[in-house]
Amino acid sequence: MSAEATNPEARSEARPELRRRGRTRLDLRRLGRAALLGPTSRDRLPDAIGHVAEAHRAHHPDADLSILRRAYVLAESSHRGQMRKSGEPYITHPLAVTLILAELGAETTTLTASLLHDTVEDTEVTLDQVREEFGDEVCFIVDGVTKVEKIDYGAAAEPETFRKMLVATGNDVRVMSIKLADRLHNMRTLGVMRPEKQARIAKVTRDVLIPLAERLGVQALKTELEDLVFAILHPEEYEHTRALIAAHAGERDPLPAIAESVRVVLREAGIHAEVLVRPRHFVSVHRISRKRGELRGSDFGRLLILVGENADCYGVLGELHTCFTPVVSEFKDFIAVPKFNLYQSLHTAFATSDGHVAEVIVRTRQMHRVAEAGVVALGNPYATAAATAAATAAAAASGATAGSAVACADPYEERVDPTRPGWLSRLLDWQQSAPDPDTFWSVLRAELAQDREITVFRADGGAPATISLPGGASCIDAAYAQYGEAAHGCIGARVNGRLTSLTSRLSDGDTVQLLLAHDASSGPSADWLEHAHTPAARIAIGSWLKAHPDGAAATTTTAAARAPLSVVGARGGGGNAVADLPDATVRLAGCCTPVPPDAVAGFVVRGGAVTVHRVQCAAVAQMRSLGRTSVAVHWRATADCRVTLLAESFGRPHLLADLTEAIAREGVEVVSATVEPPVEQRVRHSYTLQLPDATGLPALMRAMRDVPGVYDVSRA
């Protein structure tokens, strides 16, 4: 099936701000040789670059077009004589790719590199020539999109090419912008390929390029790529969806009338807004048909409301929810909480009096530009601060955008890059640990399949203050994101101040404190792999386990159930509490272990003994609720006392010895000690101690907490 036949036709009104009023918008999906080259004779250089220049000037009126013409001349002369499989001159491909980016508002440097993006790969032009003629930035971008030599890499050429592009994208996101536009034009003309090659290219597009377009926020490219892939990989479902859309075209569409009623409401409220009917693309219609079953007329599109300011978005929302019946479950505020790909909008839906449900998107015109073009709409994010300030001032005077006037002085100096989100930084980190192309390729697809991102905060106040992770990530993922391979020694975590296991899942906005062991022999256990979601964590854990097979076995053995270890001292006896009951035996309650000068209460139990509790103990309230009468208790003048302390820690070698040594340094005698079997690498110790002076208890507890691996010490 021809790729050109797979595109929905009714989307030209979806991006009205991408053209100036009165200028005829070119239909990118139907650009052919005639549209690109114009009616010129073969022996004369056509003015094909004119279409690109027109689209570029619509966004950047003051742009210098001379560099584009020079790039076109070099590209046309280099590709002369080369033909595409469709039979068109090869130059039509870089021209089409550049026109796609120009329509999205890309700045001049991106368009220059786009015209030249295949010259180094397919012609005699070298990178040195590109650098000499067009500068370092253009050279870097062209090199980033140039494929590696298949003769050098063999079957690994495709994954290694993507690795190269992604690494380059980490330094300049415009590399991936050109790659996405390049793939879009190739997908449009894929019909000339063999069916098996169409399917292979479509699968890579689905698994890698479409998720990248989503993450970079380039919805205009992503939605069309989705439709093209849908037509190739699911032809029957595509034909069914096409039939649904065709049948709807012959019916009365309720959305224009609903849009007019919304215009009236907003006009009466004094809100200046543009209300558009935005048809759904094929994949969107397919998804909603599976969700709702039989479709109604209003299901084939949505209302898009464009306003000037953020406050107007909420004003529109208030009017819609006041004058219509809102569908509360459909409301989402992506302005207050933007998506991780820069997307901002208000989403809502309302029901009309005749039973139709209209979905509505409300956004400013700037939000709309970013929603459609993503990082392409940001202009040049790599300019120095001084150049940016100068460009902004010039743009304000001329009405142009800052990106049209910025030229980067040094493309390799340190930059503050607003387009490098957490997912890209994670990808660049873990790919360094995946030298095997097959591992890189499989893990890359798995990473890009994650469609949600969360942000957690570091409790230690370190930089950066936040950690970006995929949805479903655990404390293990946070540990490797923060500490790298040093996370092998992570022994626990506190989430929002509460101790939790490393396998616990994190939620957006959690505060995480990761606890590391001081023992160099500590390492991850094999079950960490079941709870690690990020490639960086999985690769690091797998490498450690492979290098330490004995260590993995030891960790598993340590976690196995075993009988509690008890150490009993030579001394027994009671405490120094005295009950006002003649000849009564006095015991200190094990549930709260009172010590001087605690306020205490005593109760007579079976056998006539008096059990002494702290007055705050839950057992005291229970005794009194049962009508039991308390016995007055006081402390002897002697300062010594007996107390039971609970120490909670993470398992490690020599921990019991270190704890008892810390206790001994405080001059305290161990009456008995019990160590319970470890659970999820956590160990609970119980110590009954004889203190020479009760006032030394706080210092003793501090000393025990200072032992590496101990995270809490409390009275029993």
Side-chain angles (χ1 to χ4, degrees), residues 389-443:
T392 302
S398 64
T401 59
S404 63
V406 177
C408 189
D410 181 1
Y412 302 107
E413 68 179 70
E414 185 175 355
R415 298 155 167 164
V416 177
D417 182 1
T419 68
R420 182 167 172 173
W423 66 266
L424 183 53
S425 296
R426 290 198 309 272
L427 189 153
L428 296 174
D429 289 340
W430 69 254
Q431 67 85 24
Q432 298 177 6
S433 305
D436 175 27
D438 291 336
T439 301
F440 167 77
W441 197 229
S442 60
V443 175

Short mmCIF file of all heavy atoms in Angstrom, two decimals, residues 389-443:
data_model
loop_
_atom_site.label_atom_id
_atom_site.label_comp_id
_atom_site.label_asym_id
_atom_site.label_seq_id
_atom_site.Cartn_x
_atom_site.Cartn_y
_atom_site.Cartn_z
N ALA A 389 20.16 37.18 24.88
CA ALA A 389 19.62 38.47 25.29
C ALA A 389 19.58 39.44 24.11
O ALA A 389 18.59 40.16 23.91
CB ALA A 389 20.47 39.04 26.43
N ALA A 390 20.65 39.46 23.33
CA ALA A 390 20.69 40.34 22.17
C ALA A 390 19.62 39.97 21.16
O ALA A 390 18.95 40.82 20.57
CB ALA A 390 22.08 40.30 21.53
N ALA A 391 19.47 38.64 20.94
CA ALA A 391 18.48 38.18 19.97
C ALA A 391 17.07 38.51 20.43
O ALA A 391 16.21 38.88 19.64
CB ALA A 391 18.63 36.68 19.74
N THR A 392 16.84 38.38 21.73
CA THR A 392 15.51 38.67 22.26
C THR A 392 15.16 40.14 22.08
O THR A 392 14.04 40.50 21.70
CB THR A 392 15.44 38.30 23.75
OG1 THR A 392 15.76 36.92 23.89
CG2 THR A 392 14.06 38.55 24.32
N ALA A 393 16.16 41.02 22.34
CA ALA A 393 15.92 42.45 22.16
C ALA A 393 15.64 42.78 20.70
O ALA A 393 14.73 43.56 20.38
CB ALA A 393 17.13 43.24 22.68
N ALA A 394 16.44 42.18 19.81
CA ALA A 394 16.24 42.43 18.38
C ALA A 394 14.89 41.90 17.92
O ALA A 394 14.19 42.51 17.11
CB ALA A 394 17.37 41.79 17.57
N ALA A 395 14.52 40.72 18.45
CA ALA A 395 13.25 40.12 18.06
C ALA A 395 12.08 40.98 18.53
O ALA A 395 11.07 41.12 17.84
CB ALA A 395 13.13 38.71 18.62
N ALA A 396 12.23 41.55 19.74
CA ALA A 396 11.14 42.39 20.26
C ALA A 396 10.94 43.61 19.39
O ALA A 396 9.82 44.07 19.18
CB ALA A 396 11.46 42.80 21.70
N ALA A 397 12.07 44.14 18.85
CA ALA A 397 11.96 45.33 18.00
C ALA A 397 11.38 45.01 16.63
O ALA A 397 10.68 45.83 16.04
CB ALA A 397 13.34 45.98 17.85
N SER A 398 11.66 43.80 16.15
CA SER A 398 11.26 43.46 14.78
C SER A 398 10.03 42.58 14.70
O SER A 398 9.48 42.37 13.63
CB SER A 398 12.41 42.74 14.07
OG SER A 398 12.68 41.50 14.71
N GLY A 399 9.61 42.02 15.87
CA GLY A 399 8.46 41.10 15.85
C GLY A 399 8.85 39.68 15.56
O GLY A 399 8.00 38.81 15.43
N ALA A 400 10.16 39.39 15.45
CA ALA A 400 10.61 38.02 15.17
C ALA A 400 10.80 37.28 16.46
O ALA A 400 10.79 37.86 17.54
CB ALA A 400 11.93 38.07 14.38
N THR A 401 10.99 35.99 16.36
CA THR A 401 11.30 35.17 17.53
C THR A 401 12.79 35.19 17.76
O THR A 401 13.58 35.37 16.84
CB THR A 401 10.84 33.73 17.33
OG1 THR A 401 11.49 33.20 16.18
CG2 THR A 401 9.35 33.66 17.14
N ALA A 402 13.19 34.96 19.02
CA ALA A 402 14.61 35.03 19.36
C ALA A 402 15.42 34.02 18.60
O ALA A 402 16.56 34.25 18.24
CB ALA A 402 14.79 34.83 20.87
N GLY A 403 14.85 32.87 18.35
CA GLY A 403 15.60 31.81 17.70
C GLY A 403 16.05 32.14 16.30
O GLY A 403 17.01 31.58 15.78
N SER A 404 15.38 33.12 15.63
CA SER A 404 15.74 33.42 14.25
C SER A 404 17.00 34.25 14.15
O SER A 404 17.60 34.34 13.10
CB SER A 404 14.59 34.19 13.59
OG SER A 404 14.39 35.43 14.25
N ALA A 405 17.39 34.90 15.26
CA ALA A 405 18.52 35.81 15.17
C ALA A 405 19.74 35.35 15.94
O ALA A 405 20.71 36.06 16.02
CB ALA A 405 18.09 37.20 15.69
N VAL A 406 19.69 34.17 16.51
CA VAL A 406 20.78 33.72 17.37
C VAL A 406 21.77 32.89 16.58
O VAL A 406 21.41 31.97 15.88
CB VAL A 406 20.24 32.90 18.55
CG1 VAL A 406 21.37 32.37 19.39
CG2 VAL A 406 19.32 33.77 19.40
N ALA A 407 23.02 33.19 16.73
CA ALA A 407 24.08 32.36 16.16
C ALA A 407 25.01 31.97 17.29
O ALA A 407 25.53 32.81 17.99
CB ALA A 407 24.85 33.13 15.09
N CYS A 408 25.21 30.69 17.48
CA CYS A 408 25.99 30.21 18.62
C CYS A 408 27.47 30.44 18.38
O CYS A 408 28.00 30.06 17.34
CB CYS A 408 25.71 28.73 18.86
SG CYS A 408 26.43 28.15 20.39
N ALA A 409 28.14 31.08 19.35
CA ALA A 409 29.56 31.37 19.18
C ALA A 409 30.40 30.12 19.21
O ALA A 409 31.32 29.97 18.43
CB ALA A 409 30.00 32.36 20.27
N ASP A 410 30.12 29.23 20.13
CA ASP A 410 30.91 28.00 20.25
C ASP A 410 29.97 26.85 20.56
O ASP A 410 29.44 26.77 21.65
CB ASP A 410 31.95 28.14 21.37
CG ASP A 410 32.80 26.88 21.51
OD1 ASP A 410 32.58 25.93 20.72
OD2 ASP A 410 33.68 26.85 22.38
N PRO A 411 29.74 25.93 19.61
CA PRO A 411 28.76 24.87 19.83
C PRO A 411 29.18 23.86 20.87
O PRO A 411 28.39 23.05 21.29
CB PRO A 411 28.65 24.21 18.45
CG PRO A 411 29.97 24.48 17.80
CD PRO A 411 30.39 25.83 18.30
N TYR A 412 30.43 23.90 21.31
CA TYR A 412 30.91 22.88 22.25
C TYR A 412 31.13 23.43 23.65
O TYR A 412 31.58 22.72 24.53
CB TYR A 412 32.20 22.25 21.72
CG TYR A 412 31.99 21.64 20.37
CD1 TYR A 412 32.51 22.23 19.23
CD2 TYR A 412 31.21 20.49 20.22
CE1 TYR A 412 32.28 21.68 17.98
CE2 TYR A 412 30.98 19.94 18.98
CZ TYR A 412 31.52 20.53 17.86
OH TYR A 412 31.28 19.98 16.62
N GLU A 413 30.83 24.73 23.89
CA GLU A 413 30.97 25.24 25.25
C GLU A 413 29.80 24.74 26.10
O GLU A 413 28.78 24.28 25.59
CB GLU A 413 31.01 26.76 25.24
CG GLU A 413 29.70 27.42 24.84
CD GLU A 413 29.81 28.93 24.87
OE1 GLU A 413 30.50 29.48 24.01
OE2 GLU A 413 29.19 29.52 25.76
N GLU A 414 29.96 24.84 27.41
CA GLU A 414 28.94 24.32 28.31
C GLU A 414 27.65 25.12 28.13
O GLU A 414 27.64 26.34 28.14
CB GLU A 414 29.42 24.42 29.76
CG GLU A 414 28.44 23.80 30.75
CD GLU A 414 29.00 23.80 32.14
OE1 GLU A 414 30.17 24.19 32.31
OE2 GLU A 414 28.27 23.42 33.06
N ARG A 415 26.53 24.42 28.00
CA ARG A 415 25.27 25.08 27.74
C ARG A 415 24.22 24.66 28.76
O ARG A 415 24.27 23.55 29.27
CB ARG A 415 24.74 24.71 26.35
CG ARG A 415 25.66 25.14 25.21
CD ARG A 415 25.40 24.24 24.04
NE ARG A 415 26.01 24.77 22.82
CZ ARG A 415 26.19 24.06 21.74
NH1 ARG A 415 25.84 22.81 21.70
NH2 ARG A 415 26.73 24.61 20.67
N VAL A 416 23.26 25.52 28.99
CA VAL A 416 22.08 25.15 29.76
C VAL A 416 21.01 24.77 28.76
O VAL A 416 20.50 25.61 28.04
CB VAL A 416 21.61 26.32 30.65
CG1 VAL A 416 20.34 25.94 31.39
CG2 VAL A 416 22.71 26.72 31.62
N ASP A 417 20.71 23.51 28.69
CA ASP A 417 19.85 22.98 27.63
C ASP A 417 18.46 22.68 28.17
O ASP A 417 18.27 21.72 28.90
CB ASP A 417 20.49 21.71 27.05
CG ASP A 417 19.67 21.15 25.90
OD1 ASP A 417 18.64 21.76 25.57
OD2 ASP A 417 20.06 20.11 25.36
N PRO A 418 17.44 23.49 27.82
CA PRO A 418 16.09 23.24 28.34
C PRO A 418 15.41 22.07 27.65
O PRO A 418 14.32 21.68 28.03
CB PRO A 418 15.36 24.56 28.02
CG PRO A 418 16.05 25.07 26.79
CD PRO A 418 17.50 24.67 26.94
N THR A 419 16.02 21.52 26.62
CA THR A 419 15.37 20.44 25.87
C THR A 419 15.93 19.07 26.23
O THR A 419 15.57 18.08 25.60
CB THR A 419 15.56 20.66 24.37
OG1 THR A 419 16.94 20.49 24.03
CG2 THR A 419 15.10 22.03 23.95
N ARG A 420 16.80 18.99 27.24
CA ARG A 420 17.36 17.69 27.63
C ARG A 420 16.68 17.21 28.89
O ARG A 420 17.15 17.46 30.00
CB ARG A 420 18.87 17.80 27.83
CG ARG A 420 19.51 16.45 28.18
CD ARG A 420 21.01 16.53 28.06
NE ARG A 420 21.65 15.33 28.57
CZ ARG A 420 22.93 15.07 28.48
NH1 ARG A 420 23.72 15.93 27.88
NH2 ARG A 420 23.44 13.98 28.98
N PRO A 421 15.56 16.54 28.76
CA PRO A 421 14.80 16.10 29.93
C PRO A 421 15.45 14.89 30.59
O PRO A 421 16.45 14.34 30.12
CB PRO A 421 13.44 15.75 29.34
CG PRO A 421 13.73 15.36 27.92
CD PRO A 421 14.92 16.17 27.50
N GLY A 422 14.82 14.44 31.69
CA GLY A 422 15.39 13.34 32.46
C GLY A 422 15.52 12.06 31.68
O GLY A 422 16.52 11.34 31.81
N TRP A 423 14.54 11.74 30.82
CA TRP A 423 14.61 10.47 30.10
C TRP A 423 15.81 10.42 29.18
O TRP A 423 16.43 9.38 29.01
CB TRP A 423 13.31 10.24 29.31
CG TRP A 423 13.08 11.22 28.19
CD1 TRP A 423 12.36 12.37 28.24
CD2 TRP A 423 13.60 11.12 26.85
NE1 TRP A 423 12.38 13.01 27.03
CE2 TRP A 423 13.14 12.26 26.16
CE3 TRP A 423 14.41 10.20 26.18
CZ2 TRP A 423 13.45 12.50 24.82
CZ3 TRP A 423 14.72 10.44 24.84
CH2 TRP A 423 14.24 11.57 24.18
N LEU A 424 16.17 11.57 28.58
CA LEU A 424 17.31 11.59 27.67
C LEU A 424 18.62 11.45 28.44
O LEU A 424 19.53 10.73 28.01
CB LEU A 424 17.30 12.88 26.85
CG LEU A 424 18.41 13.03 25.80
CD1 LEU A 424 18.44 11.84 24.86
CD2 LEU A 424 18.22 14.33 25.01
N SER A 425 18.71 12.11 29.59
CA SER A 425 19.90 11.97 30.42
C SER A 425 20.07 10.53 30.88
O SER A 425 21.19 9.99 30.89
CB SER A 425 19.82 12.90 31.63
OG SER A 425 19.83 14.25 31.22
N ARG A 426 18.97 9.87 31.28
CA ARG A 426 19.06 8.47 31.69
C ARG A 426 19.53 7.60 30.53
O ARG A 426 20.37 6.72 30.70
CB ARG A 426 17.69 7.97 32.16
CG ARG A 426 17.21 8.55 33.46
CD ARG A 426 16.10 7.70 34.06
NE ARG A 426 15.03 7.44 33.11
CZ ARG A 426 13.98 8.23 32.94
NH1 ARG A 426 13.87 9.34 33.63
NH2 ARG A 426 13.03 7.92 32.07
N LEU A 427 18.98 7.86 29.36
CA LEU A 427 19.34 7.05 28.20
C LEU A 427 20.83 7.18 27.88
O LEU A 427 21.51 6.19 27.60
CB LEU A 427 18.48 7.49 27.02
CG LEU A 427 18.51 6.66 25.74
CD1 LEU A 427 17.19 6.81 24.99
CD2 LEU A 427 19.64 7.08 24.83
N LEU A 428 21.33 8.40 27.93
CA LEU A 428 22.74 8.62 27.63
C LEU A 428 23.64 7.98 28.68
O LEU A 428 24.75 7.54 28.37
CB LEU A 428 23.02 10.13 27.54
CG LEU A 428 22.31 10.86 26.40
CD1 LEU A 428 22.55 12.35 26.49
CD2 LEU A 428 22.81 10.34 25.05
N ASP A 429 23.17 7.91 29.93
CA ASP A 429 23.97 7.29 30.98
C ASP A 429 24.06 5.78 30.80
O ASP A 429 25.15 5.20 30.84
CB ASP A 429 23.38 7.62 32.36
CG ASP A 429 23.58 9.08 32.74
OD1 ASP A 429 24.48 9.71 32.13
OD2 ASP A 429 22.85 9.59 33.60
N TRP A 430 22.90 5.12 30.61
CA TRP A 430 22.94 3.66 30.58
C TRP A 430 23.53 3.13 29.29
O TRP A 430 24.08 2.02 29.28
CB TRP A 430 21.58 3.05 30.86
CG TRP A 430 20.52 3.23 29.81
CD1 TRP A 430 19.44 4.05 29.88
CD2 TRP A 430 20.39 2.52 28.57
NE1 TRP A 430 18.67 3.94 28.76
CE2 TRP A 430 19.22 3.00 27.94
CE3 TRP A 430 21.15 1.55 27.92
CZ2 TRP A 430 18.79 2.54 26.70
CZ3 TRP A 430 20.72 1.09 26.68
CH2 TRP A 430 19.56 1.59 26.08
N GLN A 431 23.45 3.88 28.18
CA GLN A 431 23.99 3.34 26.93
C GLN A 431 25.50 3.14 27.01
O GLN A 431 26.06 2.31 26.31
CB GLN A 431 23.60 4.22 25.74
CG GLN A 431 24.21 5.61 25.71
CD GLN A 431 25.58 5.65 25.08
OE1 GLN A 431 25.94 4.78 24.28
NE2 GLN A 431 26.38 6.63 25.46
N GLN A 432 26.15 3.88 27.89
CA GLN A 432 27.59 3.70 28.06
C GLN A 432 27.93 2.35 28.67
O GLN A 432 29.03 1.82 28.48
CB GLN A 432 28.16 4.81 28.94
CG GLN A 432 28.00 6.20 28.36
CD GLN A 432 28.52 7.27 29.30
OE1 GLN A 432 29.11 6.98 30.34
NE2 GLN A 432 28.30 8.53 28.95
N SER A 433 26.97 1.77 29.42
CA SER A 433 27.19 0.47 30.06
C SER A 433 26.69 -0.68 29.22
O SER A 433 26.69 -1.83 29.67
CB SER A 433 26.49 0.44 31.43
OG SER A 433 26.91 1.51 32.23
N ALA A 434 26.23 -0.40 27.99
CA ALA A 434 25.69 -1.45 27.12
C ALA A 434 26.50 -1.52 25.82
O ALA A 434 26.04 -1.08 24.77
CB ALA A 434 24.22 -1.19 26.81
N PRO A 435 27.73 -2.03 25.91
CA PRO A 435 28.56 -2.07 24.70
C PRO A 435 28.03 -3.03 23.64
O PRO A 435 28.31 -2.85 22.45
CB PRO A 435 29.92 -2.54 25.23
CG PRO A 435 29.59 -3.30 26.49
CD PRO A 435 28.41 -2.61 27.07
N ASP A 436 27.27 -4.03 24.03
CA ASP A 436 26.73 -5.00 23.08
C ASP A 436 25.57 -4.37 22.31
O ASP A 436 24.59 -3.92 22.92
CB ASP A 436 26.24 -6.24 23.84
CG ASP A 436 25.56 -7.24 22.93
OD1 ASP A 436 25.89 -7.27 21.74
OD2 ASP A 436 24.69 -7.99 23.42
N PRO A 437 25.62 -4.31 20.96
CA PRO A 437 24.55 -3.67 20.18
C PRO A 437 23.19 -4.31 20.41
O PRO A 437 22.18 -3.61 20.46
CB PRO A 437 25.01 -3.84 18.73
CG PRO A 437 26.48 -4.03 18.81
CD PRO A 437 26.74 -4.75 20.10
N ASP A 438 23.14 -5.63 20.54
CA ASP A 438 21.85 -6.29 20.76
C ASP A 438 21.23 -5.87 22.09
O ASP A 438 20.02 -5.62 22.19
CB ASP A 438 22.01 -7.81 20.72
CG ASP A 438 22.35 -8.32 19.33
OD1 ASP A 438 22.02 -7.61 18.36
OD2 ASP A 438 22.96 -9.39 19.21
N THR A 439 22.07 -5.80 23.14
CA THR A 439 21.58 -5.35 24.44
C THR A 439 21.08 -3.92 24.36
O THR A 439 20.00 -3.58 24.86
CB THR A 439 22.68 -5.46 25.50
OG1 THR A 439 23.12 -6.81 25.59
CG2 THR A 439 22.19 -4.98 26.86
N PHE A 440 21.86 -3.06 23.71
CA PHE A 440 21.47 -1.66 23.56
C PHE A 440 20.14 -1.55 22.83
O PHE A 440 19.24 -0.82 23.25
CB PHE A 440 22.54 -0.89 22.79
CG PHE A 440 22.09 0.47 22.33
CD1 PHE A 440 22.02 1.54 23.21
CD2 PHE A 440 21.71 0.68 21.01
CE1 PHE A 440 21.60 2.78 22.79
CE2 PHE A 440 21.28 1.92 20.57
CZ PHE A 440 21.24 2.97 21.47
N TRP A 441 19.98 -2.31 21.75
CA TRP A 441 18.78 -2.21 20.91
C TRP A 441 17.54 -2.68 21.67
O TRP A 441 16.50 -2.03 21.64
CB TRP A 441 19.00 -3.02 19.65
CG TRP A 441 18.08 -2.74 18.49
CD1 TRP A 441 17.40 -3.65 17.75
CD2 TRP A 441 17.77 -1.47 17.91
NE1 TRP A 441 16.69 -3.03 16.75
CE2 TRP A 441 16.90 -1.69 16.83
CE3 TRP A 441 18.14 -0.16 18.21
CZ2 TRP A 441 16.39 -0.66 16.05
CZ3 TRP A 441 17.63 0.86 17.42
CH2 TRP A 441 16.78 0.62 16.37
N SER A 442 17.65 -3.81 22.37
CA SER A 442 16.50 -4.34 23.10
C SER A 442 16.15 -3.46 24.30
O SER A 442 14.97 -3.20 24.58
CB SER A 442 16.77 -5.78 23.56
OG SER A 442 17.90 -5.83 24.41
N VAL A 443 17.17 -2.98 25.01
CA VAL A 443 16.91 -2.14 26.18
C VAL A 443 16.37 -0.78 25.76
O VAL A 443 15.51 -0.20 26.43
CB VAL A 443 18.19 -1.99 27.03
CG1 VAL A 443 17.95 -1.03 28.18
CG2 VAL A 443 18.62 -3.34 27.58
#
